[in-house]
């Protein structure tokens, strides 16, 4: 009803079935008062060949081309049945030069428009030379068409058939597919309607099987009499296959836009590197195992996954004063959302803060594999103007060791098959401590060298794979993962405490 109230809308199609009859009557009354057209309820819509369609009528693009609905013909067609209208479009494409306009008024007891409404319109459309009607038993709609033929309101040839003649074979009243398709009396039977249409001047076949033949005969006579001048068929461009249909039929292969090798969500349950969610939930798996599956694409041994969890736990936070936490706190106090707070902290991670794990692994591995003595390695880095990553701490020193480093070293010495690179880093630390008490191994250096030992000693990775892991940032990724836990904690803490906007105190700024 809202659509009918719009002044710019003249035609609506009600596709839905089961519309309450009271509502339908209101639609019909309003449309009649305001010179508007209602197709349906329970309609597939209508179309004007070569122009447009409303609703779902005519089906797929392939069917539209097959029925020559891409250009206008000379036939006006109207039916109650949507399914049969699609079939008749195919019939008309074979028997005539095709459809000009086709309407399915719907199969409900009270359709928004009638067969005769559309036939009267077709009478006034010059390009329509032949009217084809497909009715059905039940109701009296076809009799309004009979009256229009008798009174001469419709003078164009009308070929008609009312389906449902088989209802006479049943002993009792039969309800066919549509709500209105039941014969309540003799006058509503298909036989009586066909007879009335024929008596009024419509061309009616003996059965539906003869419908196409009599349509063709009538059309050919119109051509012979010069009322229709068939036009040569235009070349129809090949209609590309619908992509989804072609994929389903195996006729095309669509280029992939994303390649993923770590998980698959297409089955009944997601998998992490071919391990199902059920297995992860019911088996002896933990967060370290999930990281090993998604990051390293392998099931690492338990000592390795436990080490990964230790790194996450030990690196989750390091207080509110470090760069990442400070940025997160300032952002949270500015009223930003959680993701913005987290990102502001993560963006501080780099060579000077938390991002030295990869570099520590890279430099220590290179020096150890080349057989450099600790003093050679340190002095060579000094000559190049590069600080040894993984060595040095602003607070910790020889007499005040980083407890995190001690815990990781203790675990590795107990469970790792080999600690070759950690041992080398400790030798380097011994040399650097001779220069300054704070040049101790920090947590970056410890994690970096121990990961090298884990990768090499597990016998699960080739030398090339180890080099790639270090190169593309796996180890820094572990720090990012761990520290995200703490940064989120700081953001939530500031919001929970309802801390005001942060402003740095003047007395802590050197103005020059």
């Amino acid at each position: 009803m809202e659509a009918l109230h719009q002044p710019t809308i003249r035609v609506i199609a009600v596709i839905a079935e089961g519309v309450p009859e009271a509502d339908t009557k209101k639609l019909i009354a309003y449309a009649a008062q305001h010179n508007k057209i209602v197709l349906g309820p329970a309609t597939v819509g209508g179309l004007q060949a070569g122009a447009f369609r409303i609703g779902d009528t005519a089906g797929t693009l392939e069917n539209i081309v097959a029925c020559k609905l891409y250009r206008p013909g000379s036939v006006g067609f109207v039916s109650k049945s949507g399914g049969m209208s699609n079939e008749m479009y195919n019939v008309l494409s074979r028997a005539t030069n095709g459809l000009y306009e086709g309407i399915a008024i719907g199969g409900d007891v009270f359709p928004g428009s009638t067969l005769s409404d559309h036939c009267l319109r077709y009478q006034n459309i010059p390009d329509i030379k032949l009217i084809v009607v497909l009715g059905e038993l039940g109701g009296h709609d076809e009799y309004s068409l009979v009256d229009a033929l008798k009174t001469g309101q419709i003078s164009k040839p009308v070929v008609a058939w009312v389906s449902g003649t088989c209802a006479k074979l049943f002993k009792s009243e039969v309800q066919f597919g549509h709500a209105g398709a039941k014969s309540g009396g003799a006058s509503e039977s298909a036989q009586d309607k066909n007879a009335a249409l024929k008596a009024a001047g419509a061309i009616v076949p003996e059965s539906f099987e003869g419908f196409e033949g009599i349509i063709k005969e009538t059309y050919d006579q119109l051509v012979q009499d010069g009322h229709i001048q068939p036009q040569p068929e235009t070349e129809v461009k090949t209609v590309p296959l619908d992509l989804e249909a072609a994929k389903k039929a195996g006729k095309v292969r669509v280029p992939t836009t994303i390649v993923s090798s770590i998980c698959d969500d297409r089955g009944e349950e997601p998998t992490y590197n071919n391990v199902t969610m059920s297995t992860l939930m019911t088996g002896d798996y933990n967060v370290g195992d999930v990281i090993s599956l998604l990051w390293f694409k392998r099931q690492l041994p338990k000592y390795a996954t436990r080490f990964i969890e230790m790194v996450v736990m030990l690196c989750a936070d390091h207080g509110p004063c470090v760069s990442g936490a400070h940025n997160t706190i300032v952002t949270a106090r500015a009223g930003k959302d959680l993701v913005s707070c987290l990102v502001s902290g993560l963006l501080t991670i780099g060579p000077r803060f938390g991002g030295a794990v990869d570099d520590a692994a890279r430099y220590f591995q290179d020096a150890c594999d080349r057989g450099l003595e600790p003093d050679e390695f340190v002095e060579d880095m000094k000559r190049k103007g590069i600080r040894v990553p993984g060595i040095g701490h602003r607070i910790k020193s020889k007499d005040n060791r980083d407890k995190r480093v001690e815990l990781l070293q203790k675990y590795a010495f107990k469970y790792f098959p080999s600690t070759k690179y950690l041992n080398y880093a400790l030798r380097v630390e011994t040399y650097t401590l001779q220069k300054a008490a704070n040049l101790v191994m920090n947590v970056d250096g410890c994690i970096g060298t121990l990961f090298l030992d884990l990768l090499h000693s597990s016998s699960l990775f080739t030398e090339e794979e180890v080099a790639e892991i270090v190169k593309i940032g796996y180890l820094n990724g572990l720090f990012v993962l761990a520290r995200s836990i703490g940064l989120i904690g700081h953001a939530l803490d500031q919001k929970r405490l309802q801390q005001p906007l942060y402003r740095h105190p003047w007395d802590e700024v050197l103005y020059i």
Side-chain angles (χ1 to χ4, degrees), residues 137-152:
L137 81 165
H140 296 85
D141 192 10
E142 288 79 4
Y143 290 106
S144 61
L145 175 58
V146 169
D147 293 340
L149 287 167
K150 285 181 176 180
T151 59

Side-chain angles (χ1 to χ4, degrees), residues 96-128:
T96 70
N97 66 346
L99 188 77
Y100 181 89
E101 183 178 310
I103 297 292
I105 65 171
D108 276 7
V109 177
F110 298 102
S113 56
T114 66
L115 299 174
S116 59
D117 288 340
H118 296 285
C119 289
L120 288 169
R121 285 197 308 104
Y122 295 161
Q123 174 67 28
N124 296 318
I125 298 175
D127 289 333
I128 292 180

Side-chain angles (χ1 to χ4, degrees), residues 486-508:
L487 297 180
I488 291 173
H490 283 294
L492 297 176
D493 185 49
Q494 295 301 306
K495 291 179 179 294
R496 183 172 54 249
L497 296 173
Q498 299 182 0
Q499 291 296 287
L501 178 68
Y502 176 84
R503 180 180 176 86
H504 205 73
W506 287 336
D507 55 0
E508 292 185 17

Side-chain angles (χ1 to χ4, degrees), residues 407-435:
L407 289 170
L408 290 173
Q409 290 177 356
K410 181 179 179 181
Y411 180 84
F413 287 137
K414 183 175 182 180
Y415 295 105
F416 278 29
S418 169
T419 54
K420 169 185 173 182
Y421 293 102
L422 174 61
N423 294 337
Y424 181 77
L426 289 173
R427 291 174 59 205
V428 172
E429 180 192 51
T430 301
Y431 179 75
T432 57
L433 284 174
Q434 296 174 15
K435 297 177 175 290

Side-chain angles (χ1 to χ4, degrees), residues 20-73:
E21 292 181 359
D23 293 342
T24 302
K25 290 177 179 180
K26 291 179 182 178
L27 289 174
I28 294 172
Y30 186 89
Q33 292 172 6
H34 296 83
N35 193 30
K36 298 192 176 188
I37 298 173
V38 176
L39 305 181
T43 179
V44 295
L47 67 85
Q48 193 171 93
F52 71 95
R53 69 172 171 175
I54 181 171
D56 304 320
T57 191
T60 64
L61 186 59
E62 290 79 9
N63 190 64
I64 290 173
V65 172
C67 295
K68 301 178 182 177
L69 299 175
Y70 50 83
R71 49 84 176 142

Side-chain angles (χ1 to χ4, degrees), residues 252-324:
V252 296
R253 179 177 60 83
V254 181
T256 55
T257 54
I258 294 177
V259 179
S260 176
S261 65
I262 62 172
C263 64
D264 193 335
D265 59 347
R266 295 171 297 175
E268 292 185 1
E269 57 179 324
T271 61
Y272 291 168
N273 195 41
N274 298 320
V275 179
T276 65
M277 289 291 104
S278 299
T279 303
L280 290 173
M281 292 297 101
T282 59
D284 185 21
Y285 290 87
N286 51 36
V287 174
D289 294 298
V290 172
I291 293 173
S292 76
L293 292 171
L294 291 178
W295 289 22
F296 299 97
K297 296 181 63 178
R298 290 167 175 80
Q299 178 59 61
L300 297 178
K302 280 300 176 183
Y303 74 84
T305 58
R306 173 57 183 156
F307 172 75
I308 291 174
E309 288 192 336
M310 289 179 63
V311 171
V312 171
M313 292 165 60
L314 293 173
C315 296
D317 192 43
H318 201 202
C321 298
V322 296
S323 302

Side-chain angles (χ1 to χ4, degrees), residues 382-401:
K382 183 179 179 180
R383 284 192 297 271
K384 294 176 180 177
I386 303 174
R387 292 185 177 183
V388 178
I391 295 292
H393 202 286
R394 291 188 60 188
I395 300 174
K396 301 301 178 180
S397 64
K398 179 179 180 180
D399 300 320
N400 180 27
R401 301 281 184 157

